[in-house]
Amino acid sequence: MKKILYSSIMMLLLFSSCENYLDVNEKQTNRPDFDALTPSQMLSGALTNYTSYQVTTLSTYGNRLAYVWGLNSGFTSTDPAYTYKYDSSSYTACFESAYLIGDNFQDILDKKASFPTYTLHFGVAKVMKVMCMDYVTALYGDAPYTEAFNNDIIAPKYEDDKKIIPGLFKELDEARAFFAAPGAAPMGAEDCVFAGDKAKWLKFVNTIELKLLLRLSKTTDATLVALRTARFTKLNANQDFVTQDVTVNPGYNNGTLNSRNPIFRVNGQNESFSAATSANAANAAGDYAGRLVNGTINDANITSGLVDPRRARMFTLIGGTVVGNVQGIFPLTAISKYASFYHGRTGASVDIANKNGGERNAFLMQAAESYFLQAEAMQRGYLTGTAKTAFEDGVKASFNFYSTGFGTIVIATPLDPVAYLAAIDAKNGLGWTGSTDKISAIITQKYLALSQWHGIELYLDHLRTGYPVLPLPFGVTETKRPNRLIYPSSEYSSNSTNTPVVSNGDLFSVNTKTPYYLQ
């Protein structure tokens, strides 16, 4: 793994794909001006590439593993997310792109000596690098860390993920220190998330820390338990978390395929707008998600019987209902596809619909996610506060998200969260009063809020909490979902001495190769 060249202020590169693992040196001859680039010239592209990674690469894998998505009619698949047969070619971008983009942010941090006043930019780079490494450790366990972004080290060592985690919290503190430093150079449009608003970035850092701490809710490792306790003590004294949807938009447009909103680019229309993308054609509602929003799940875990008002904005309806695919079965009849609210292609004409989809904001975090994180932490006794209130705020934020228009789209009839909360209150697994296990209700409502948009969190929540209780794909021989991924073949070929050997069987047993948060 070598450091990766990045950082161009040209629009083409600002919207470059993050799915290619570029094994080239940072200062190669085609960028002789690299040393002269300022952090402000590098930030927007790095943020854009990270966003694409989260909302496409990670979400695709998570939506499949969390049973949000299945196959559309007429399609077959040997995808390991449906067969549970993994190898070193399975979902390699989850690892490779994390390091590519993490290095984008490290490149910014490496400018500290040359541009010492860009402390706000360094704060952003720190927290975003942490997010990259969080997903690496959550999906792979042990990984390169302290040597990973050193241009002089070709084959970085792998480190115990339990030792990486404290380093991530240390980096979050370093991000806070950067934001607090006096005499900072202003940060403006290059910050395509908060437009230079330091206070909002600090709320985001707190919320990311909250998420990382809840990754530790299941761990029995004494060191990590002590870390969790100490960090929550500090976080509890400053409960200042995200309260609005966190959007990203560096100037998305339909000029080129790569300049479009990443969800529309991957899940909407092809480059010429002549047909749906392959992902749009092949992916469809999963049977579990479909039954959940249809209100047809009534078992020991969820008492429903209630149609979710959000369902028509999540999936297309067939005969007035969401028809989902049973994973592992190749459907022969019509299956509900993405609703236009998701990929954004909606409007009064084809041209307007394409424009709305291409230019729409991407979402780094929904306010609903922040509230459900708070609700879980309060329910577990990690944070002070009323878990029920945070839970209800999460539902309200999700309904607001689905009631907010974009482009030329105005939502004439907003969804009513008050009526929904009253209707679910007595229902086990969905509402607060009726749920015997409040964590089940919190995670299930979080599942409904983040489905499609942030699918990887649904999968990681399921592994950590067991909720929602998801069926397995038809025909798989394993008895549970995989607890990790196998390192990509690129690591076994270029860093074979250090890369741990992981087999398919290691994905389904708890051993030393299992990610920290499941041990």
Side-chain angles (χ1 to χ4, degrees), residues 1-19:
M1 182 190 307
K2 299 179 184 178
K3 289 220 16 167
I4 295 106
L5 169 67
Y6 182 70
S7 310
S8 171
I9 59 173
M10 297 174 63
M11 184 62 72
L12 176 62
L13 291 185
L14 287 179
F15 292 103
S16 62
S17 171
C18 66
E19 296 177 1

Side-chain angles (χ1 to χ4, degrees), residues 179-203:
F179 286 124
M187 185 169 61
E190 71 271 22
D191 173 10
C192 53
V193 182
F194 293 125
D197 191 321
K198 181 172 64 175
K200 289 182 178 179
W201 272 111
L202 286 168
K203 288 176 182 283

Side-chain angles (χ1 to χ4, degrees), residues 479-494:
T479 59
K480 63 178 185 177
R481 281 167 167 70
N483 56 32
R484 58 164 298 151
L485 284 163
I486 296 175
Y487 301 109
S489 55
S490 59
E491 281 295 279
Y492 287 116
S493 62
S494 66

Side-chain angles (χ1 to χ4, degrees), residues 230-475:
R231 299 296 304 200
F232 261 120
T233 298
K234 291 183 177 180
L235 199 60
N236 196 46
N238 180 31
Q239 292 191 35
D240 194 15
F241 303 112
V242 164
T243 57
Q244 296 177 320
D245 296 328
V246 178
T247 61
V248 180
N249 199 326
Y252 293 129
N253 63 80
N254 287 332
T256 66
L257 182 65
N258 282 335
S259 68
R260 298 173 190 170
N261 172 302
I263 288 180
F264 183 68
R265 182 184 73 233
V266 173
N267 299 302
Q269 289 285 293
N270 65 13
E271 184 164 16
S272 63
F273 303 109
S274 60
T277 63
S278 58
N280 183 291
N283 290 325
D287 177 67
Y288 179 81
R291 290 188 294 118
L292 183 61
V293 296
N294 286 335
T296 58
I297 295 179
N298 288 286
D299 55 27
N301 305 301
I302 291 178
T303 303
S304 187
L306 176 70
V307 171
D308 193 300
R310 293 166 286 189
R311 70 173 181 175
R313 297 174 193 181
M314 298 169 69
F315 303 108
T316 59
L317 302 183
I318 298 175
T321 191
V322 175
V323 178
N325 167 238
V326 175
Q327 290 183 346
I329 293 179
F330 305 139
L332 301 177
T333 56
I335 300 294
S336 295
K337 298 176 64 177
Y338 310 136
S340 60
F341 188 92
Y342 171 64
H343 57 66
R345 190 175 188 251
T346 184
S349 69
V350 170
D351 288 344
I352 291 175
N354 288 332
K355 189 173 187 294
N356 287 340
E359 296 180 356
R360 188 183 188 185
N361 289 338
F363 295 90
L364 200 59
M365 176 181 284
Q366 290 181 29
E369 180 178 7
S370 174
Y371 287 121
F372 288 127
L373 289 169
Q374 293 171 63
E376 182 183 353
M378 291 171 183
Q379 183 62 26
R380 292 186 185 278
Y382 299 153
L383 288 180
T384 58
T386 306
K388 179 176 183 288
T389 300
F391 169 82
E392 292 176 347
D393 286 343
V395 172
K396 292 173 183 176
S398 177
F399 273 59
N400 180 67
F401 175 83
Y402 275 104
S403 298
T404 302
F406 55 93
T408 63
I409 303 304
V410 176
I411 306 296
T413 307
L415 302 178
D416 183 359
V418 176
Y420 175 76
L421 283 165
I424 64 169
D425 187 55
K427 295 183 180 296
N428 183 45
L430 285 177
W432 191 260
T433 303
S435 292
T436 54
D437 186 334
K438 308 303 184 188
I439 300 297
S440 171
I442 292 167
I443 299 300
T444 299
Q445 285 296 341
K446 185 178 175 184
Y447 179 99
L448 286 164
L450 303 190
S451 286
Q452 303 193 95
W453 303 97
H454 204 2
I456 196 65
E457 289 299 322
L458 313 183
Y459 165 53
L460 296 177
D461 278 348
H462 170 78
L463 291 181
R464 179 174 61 86
T465 69
Y467 298 120
V469 180
L470 303 170
L472 294 168
F474 179 82

